[in-house]
Amino acid sequence: MEDKRMNFVLEPNRSITHTVTEFVLLGFSGNRRMQNLLFSLILVIYMLTLLGNGAIVCAVKWDKQLHTPMYILLGNFAFLEIWYVSSTVPNMLANFLSKTKTISFSGCFLQFYFFFSLGVTECVFLSVMAYDRYVAICHPLHYPIKMTGQFCATLISTCWVSGFLYYPVPIILISQLPFCGPNVIDHFVCDQGPLLALICVPAPVVKLTCYTLNSMIIFGSLFPILVSYTLVLRAVLRVPSGAGRHKAFSTCGSHLVVVSLFYGTLMVMFVSPTSGNPAEMQKIVTLMYSVVTPLLNPLIYSLRNKDMKNALRKVLGGLKISQSS
């Protein structure tokens, strides 16, 4: 029986060219009851993620006490998390309710582009936030001079632009490879590994390019974070006051927790060989860094930061007043 989802043309040299018009995203396995449970759970996580990160964005925007480089970076990071989780979860939720679970060829690669570009942007943002903490703790007298409003805006623009310009070439290369079928992706998102597994010709150069770019962005952004916090740790240990050390550690602790969660799962997925990992394990790891981590970030940053907690109380208090009136 002819598969209507793929068109094949047999050429004189017996090679096969084709056009895959859509992919099938299997998502998570399980019966209908399990699918409904996962749908409800992920929907709640998504709504809480939007609420938490949206509250941080509003707090930074409305509270003038938070108009400092550290909080401006945090507000932009929360805004990024909203888009990052939105690049995968809405389609994932729609797939739970869909019988066909299909996504168009162009839609799949568009999701692939935004998912990876926003992930790269997050890596760069975490590096910039580490640099900000390094300057604030190791060079406090020079902090107002170095981290000016204009320089902060330049850093933020660099994060967004570099993130969206980093990955188009490998995505275009993968999209030009022949997909001979099957067109079933055993994942809930159009990810690099499952897509490369569906190509029907050897593509060592493309795979090496993707692996190299993944390693470069992960380690290239992680290295300045490690250097920054090594210097911060050395500076903090020299502080004679216990209260001063506690304040410095509390300032950086939340950022280090976020870095550990995000980079730990990224390395499992993109640096270690994923071909030997079971498909369900890949889904769980991807779910951790793309859905769970954006949910935890607002809690991590707000619970350990007195200024942010006060600003969030003002935001929530303002919402209650507006609703009651």
Side-chain angles (χ1 to χ4, degrees), residues 134 137-139 224-238:
Y134 158 72
I137 294 174
C138 296
H139 304 282
I225 293 174
L226 295 177
V227 171
S228 295
Y229 280 108
T230 299
L231 296 174
V232 166
L233 179 62
R234 189 176 67 175
V236 168
L237 293 176
R238 292 176 179 175

PDB file of all heavy atoms in Angstrom, residues 134 137-139 224-238:
ATOM      1  N   TYR A 134      30.531  37.608  38.890  1.00  0.00           N
ATOM      2  CA  TYR A 134      31.981  37.706  39.089  1.00  0.00           C
ATOM      3  C   TYR A 134      32.398  39.157  39.294  1.00  0.00           C
ATOM      4  O   TYR A 134      33.132  39.487  40.238  1.00  0.00           O
ATOM      5  CB  TYR A 134      32.708  37.102  37.887  1.00  0.00           C
ATOM      6  CG  TYR A 134      34.127  37.609  37.726  1.00  0.00           C
ATOM      7  CD1 TYR A 134      35.139  37.209  38.596  1.00  0.00           C
ATOM      8  CD2 TYR A 134      34.439  38.504  36.697  1.00  0.00           C
ATOM      9  CE1 TYR A 134      36.428  37.688  38.451  1.00  0.00           C
ATOM     10  CE2 TYR A 134      35.728  38.983  36.546  1.00  0.00           C
ATOM     11  CZ  TYR A 134      36.716  38.575  37.430  1.00  0.00           C
ATOM     12  OH  TYR A 134      37.999  39.067  37.287  1.00  0.00           O
ATOM     13  N   ILE A 137      31.087  40.603  42.730  1.00  0.00           N
ATOM     14  CA  ILE A 137      31.714  40.111  43.959  1.00  0.00           C
ATOM     15  C   ILE A 137      33.218  40.348  43.974  1.00  0.00           C
ATOM     16  O   ILE A 137      33.781  40.741  44.994  1.00  0.00           O
ATOM     17  CB  ILE A 137      31.391  38.614  44.145  1.00  0.00           C
ATOM     18  CG1 ILE A 137      29.884  38.437  44.388  1.00  0.00           C
ATOM     19  CG2 ILE A 137      32.185  38.012  45.301  1.00  0.00           C
ATOM     20  CD1 ILE A 137      29.422  37.005  44.444  1.00  0.00           C
ATOM     21  N   CYS A 138      33.871  40.140  42.854  1.00  0.00           N
ATOM     22  CA  CYS A 138      35.335  40.261  42.813  1.00  0.00           C
ATOM     23  C   CYS A 138      35.797  41.694  42.571  1.00  0.00           C
ATOM     24  O   CYS A 138      36.906  42.067  42.970  1.00  0.00           O
ATOM     25  CB  CYS A 138      35.904  39.340  41.733  1.00  0.00           C
ATOM     26  SG  CYS A 138      35.613  37.594  42.050  1.00  0.00           S
ATOM     27  N   HIS A 139      34.975  42.503  41.920  1.00  0.00           N
ATOM     28  CA  HIS A 139      35.335  43.900  41.641  1.00  0.00           C
ATOM     29  C   HIS A 139      34.155  44.815  41.955  1.00  0.00           C
ATOM     30  O   HIS A 139      33.610  45.491  41.072  1.00  0.00           O
ATOM     31  CB  HIS A 139      35.761  44.066  40.178  1.00  0.00           C
ATOM     32  CG  HIS A 139      36.878  43.172  39.761  1.00  0.00           C
ATOM     33  ND1 HIS A 139      38.200  43.410  40.082  1.00  0.00           N
ATOM     34  CD2 HIS A 139      36.867  41.997  39.053  1.00  0.00           C
ATOM     35  CE1 HIS A 139      38.962  42.440  39.593  1.00  0.00           C
ATOM     36  NE2 HIS A 139      38.180  41.577  38.962  1.00  0.00           N
ATOM     37  N   PRO A 224      33.447  29.650  30.878  1.00  0.00           N
ATOM     38  CA  PRO A 224      33.464  30.935  31.597  1.00  0.00           C
ATOM     39  C   PRO A 224      32.656  30.912  32.882  1.00  0.00           C
ATOM     40  O   PRO A 224      32.977  31.645  33.826  1.00  0.00           O
ATOM     41  CB  PRO A 224      32.872  31.926  30.589  1.00  0.00           C
ATOM     42  CG  PRO A 224      32.191  31.115  29.554  1.00  0.00           C
ATOM     43  CD  PRO A 224      32.902  29.807  29.513  1.00  0.00           C
ATOM     44  N   ILE A 225      31.609  30.071  32.954  1.00  0.00           N
ATOM     45  CA  ILE A 225      30.848  29.949  34.199  1.00  0.00           C
ATOM     46  C   ILE A 225      31.731  29.352  35.290  1.00  0.00           C
ATOM     47  O   ILE A 225      31.777  29.850  36.423  1.00  0.00           O
ATOM     48  CB  ILE A 225      29.593  29.082  33.982  1.00  0.00           C
ATOM     49  CG1 ILE A 225      28.613  29.784  33.047  1.00  0.00           C
ATOM     50  CG2 ILE A 225      28.918  28.764  35.307  1.00  0.00           C
ATOM     51  CD1 ILE A 225      27.409  28.938  32.669  1.00  0.00           C
ATOM     52  N   LEU A 226      32.460  28.274  34.943  1.00  0.00           N
ATOM     53  CA  LEU A 226      33.339  27.629  35.924  1.00  0.00           C
ATOM     54  C   LEU A 226      34.465  28.560  36.349  1.00  0.00           C
ATOM     55  O   LEU A 226      34.806  28.642  37.542  1.00  0.00           O
ATOM     56  CB  LEU A 226      33.912  26.339  35.330  1.00  0.00           C
ATOM     57  CG  LEU A 226      32.903  25.227  35.029  1.00  0.00           C
ATOM     58  CD1 LEU A 226      33.596  24.041  34.370  1.00  0.00           C
ATOM     59  CD2 LEU A 226      32.183  24.794  36.295  1.00  0.00           C
ATOM     60  N   VAL A 227      35.043  29.289  35.380  1.00  0.00           N
ATOM     61  CA  VAL A 227      36.115  30.233  35.704  1.00  0.00           C
ATOM     62  C   VAL A 227      35.581  31.342  36.610  1.00  0.00           C
ATOM     63  O   VAL A 227      36.215  31.714  37.610  1.00  0.00           O
ATOM     64  CB  VAL A 227      36.720  30.822  34.414  1.00  0.00           C
ATOM     65  CG1 VAL A 227      37.681  31.967  34.752  1.00  0.00           C
ATOM     66  CG2 VAL A 227      37.443  29.751  33.621  1.00  0.00           C
ATOM     67  N   SER A 228      34.422  31.886  36.260  1.00  0.00           N
ATOM     68  CA  SER A 228      33.840  32.986  37.040  1.00  0.00           C
ATOM     69  C   SER A 228      33.603  32.559  38.485  1.00  0.00           C
ATOM     70  O   SER A 228      33.973  33.275  39.431  1.00  0.00           O
ATOM     71  CB  SER A 228      32.523  33.446  36.410  1.00  0.00           C
ATOM     72  OG  SER A 228      32.732  33.999  35.131  1.00  0.00           O
ATOM     73  N   TYR A 229      33.019  31.377  38.671  1.00  0.00           N
ATOM     74  CA  TYR A 229      32.689  30.961  40.030  1.00  0.00           C
ATOM     75  C   TYR A 229      33.889  30.428  40.794  1.00  0.00           C
ATOM     76  O   TYR A 229      33.884  30.427  42.029  1.00  0.00           O
ATOM     77  CB  TYR A 229      31.544  29.952  40.003  1.00  0.00           C
ATOM     78  CG  TYR A 229      30.223  30.658  39.849  1.00  0.00           C
ATOM     79  CD1 TYR A 229      29.509  30.604  38.662  1.00  0.00           C
ATOM     80  CD2 TYR A 229      29.710  31.432  40.884  1.00  0.00           C
ATOM     81  CE1 TYR A 229      28.317  31.284  38.510  1.00  0.00           C
ATOM     82  CE2 TYR A 229      28.516  32.111  40.744  1.00  0.00           C
ATOM     83  CZ  TYR A 229      27.824  32.036  39.559  1.00  0.00           C
ATOM     84  OH  TYR A 229      26.657  32.722  39.405  1.00  0.00           O
ATOM     85  N   THR A 230      34.915  29.999  40.094  1.00  0.00           N
ATOM     86  CA  THR A 230      36.172  29.668  40.782  1.00  0.00           C
ATOM     87  C   THR A 230      36.790  30.924  41.370  1.00  0.00           C
ATOM     88  O   THR A 230      37.238  30.933  42.526  1.00  0.00           O
ATOM     89  CB  THR A 230      37.153  29.004  39.800  1.00  0.00           C
ATOM     90  OG1 THR A 230      36.578  27.799  39.291  1.00  0.00           O
ATOM     91  CG2 THR A 230      38.468  28.682  40.490  1.00  0.00           C
ATOM     92  N   LEU A 231      36.793  31.999  40.578  1.00  0.00           N
ATOM     93  CA  LEU A 231      37.318  33.278  41.064  1.00  0.00           C
ATOM     94  C   LEU A 231      36.429  33.856  42.158  1.00  0.00           C
ATOM     95  O   LEU A 231      36.918  34.453  43.125  1.00  0.00           O
ATOM     96  CB  LEU A 231      37.431  34.267  39.902  1.00  0.00           C
ATOM     97  CG  LEU A 231      38.425  33.876  38.797  1.00  0.00           C
ATOM     98  CD1 LEU A 231      38.353  34.859  37.632  1.00  0.00           C
ATOM     99  CD2 LEU A 231      39.846  33.818  39.345  1.00  0.00           C
ATOM    100  N   VAL A 232      35.107  33.673  42.011  1.00  0.00           N
ATOM    101  CA  VAL A 232      34.180  34.137  43.047  1.00  0.00           C
ATOM    102  C   VAL A 232      34.424  33.379  44.352  1.00  0.00           C
ATOM    103  O   VAL A 232      34.476  33.984  45.435  1.00  0.00           O
ATOM    104  CB  VAL A 232      32.719  33.955  42.587  1.00  0.00           C
ATOM    105  CG1 VAL A 232      31.752  34.102  43.757  1.00  0.00           C
ATOM    106  CG2 VAL A 232      32.370  34.968  41.502  1.00  0.00           C
ATOM    107  N   LEU A 233      34.580  32.070  44.257  1.00  0.00           N
ATOM    108  CA  LEU A 233      34.817  31.258  45.454  1.00  0.00           C
ATOM    109  C   LEU A 233      36.107  31.676  46.145  1.00  0.00           C
ATOM    110  O   LEU A 233      36.155  31.802  47.379  1.00  0.00           O
ATOM    111  CB  LEU A 233      34.877  29.780  45.069  1.00  0.00           C
ATOM    112  CG  LEU A 233      35.145  28.783  46.204  1.00  0.00           C
ATOM    113  CD1 LEU A 233      34.030  28.849  47.240  1.00  0.00           C
ATOM    114  CD2 LEU A 233      35.280  27.374  45.645  1.00  0.00           C
ATOM    115  N   ARG A 234      37.141  31.915  45.348  1.00  0.00           N
ATOM    116  CA  ARG A 234      38.414  32.343  45.932  1.00  0.00           C
ATOM    117  C   ARG A 234      38.272  33.688  46.629  1.00  0.00           C
ATOM    118  O   ARG A 234      38.820  33.906  47.716  1.00  0.00           O
ATOM    119  CB  ARG A 234      39.481  32.431  44.832  1.00  0.00           C
ATOM    120  CG  ARG A 234      40.890  32.660  45.363  1.00  0.00           C
ATOM    121  CD  ARG A 234      41.906  32.636  44.255  1.00  0.00           C
ATOM    122  NE  ARG A 234      41.743  33.785  43.347  1.00  0.00           N
ATOM    123  CZ  ARG A 234      42.567  34.061  42.336  1.00  0.00           C
ATOM    124  NH1 ARG A 234      43.596  33.233  42.094  1.00  0.00           N
ATOM    125  NH2 ARG A 234      42.376  35.092  41.575  1.00  0.00           N
ATOM    126  N   ALA A 235      37.522  34.596  46.030  1.00  0.00           N
ATOM    127  CA  ALA A 235      37.315  35.912  46.637  1.00  0.00           C
ATOM    128  C   ALA A 235      36.468  35.827  47.895  1.00  0.00           C
ATOM    129  O   ALA A 235      36.734  36.508  48.893  1.00  0.00           O
ATOM    130  CB  ALA A 235      36.661  36.850  45.619  1.00  0.00           C
ATOM    131  N   VAL A 236      35.448  34.971  47.861  1.00  0.00           N
ATOM    132  CA  VAL A 236      34.555  34.860  49.018  1.00  0.00           C
ATOM    133  C   VAL A 236      35.285  34.255  50.215  1.00  0.00           C
ATOM    134  O   VAL A 236      35.075  34.673  51.367  1.00  0.00           O
ATOM    135  CB  VAL A 236      33.331  34.001  48.649  1.00  0.00           C
ATOM    136  CG1 VAL A 236      32.533  33.621  49.888  1.00  0.00           C
ATOM    137  CG2 VAL A 236      32.434  34.755  47.675  1.00  0.00           C
ATOM    138  N   LEU A 237      36.141  33.285  49.979  1.00  0.00           N
ATOM    139  CA  LEU A 237      36.870  32.654  51.074  1.00  0.00           C
ATOM    140  C   LEU A 237      37.833  33.616  51.762  1.00  0.00           C
ATOM    141  O   LEU A 237      38.254  33.377  52.902  1.00  0.00           O
ATOM    142  CB  LEU A 237      37.628  31.426  50.560  1.00  0.00           C
ATOM    143  CG  LEU A 237      36.754  30.254  50.098  1.00  0.00           C
ATOM    144  CD1 LEU A 237      37.603  29.131  49.530  1.00  0.00           C
ATOM    145  CD2 LEU A 237      35.877  29.739  51.242  1.00  0.00           C
ATOM    146  N   ARG A 238      38.173  34.708  51.065  1.00  0.00           N
ATOM    147  CA  ARG A 238      39.060  35.717  51.660  1.00  0.00           C
ATOM    148  C   ARG A 238      38.300  36.733  52.504  1.00  0.00           C
ATOM    149  O   ARG A 238      38.914  37.539  53.204  1.00  0.00           O
ATOM    150  CB  ARG A 238      39.828  36.447  50.561  1.00  0.00           C
ATOM    151  CG  ARG A 238      40.837  35.570  49.828  1.00  0.00           C
ATOM    152  CD  ARG A 238      41.488  36.334  48.696  1.00  0.00           C
ATOM    153  NE  ARG A 238      42.479  35.531  47.989  1.00  0.00           N
ATOM    154  CZ  ARG A 238      43.123  35.935  46.893  1.00  0.00           C
ATOM    155  NH1 ARG A 238      42.860  37.132  46.380  1.00  0.00           N
ATOM    156  NH2 ARG A 238      44.006  35.152  46.322  1.00  0.00           N
TER     157      ARG A 238
END
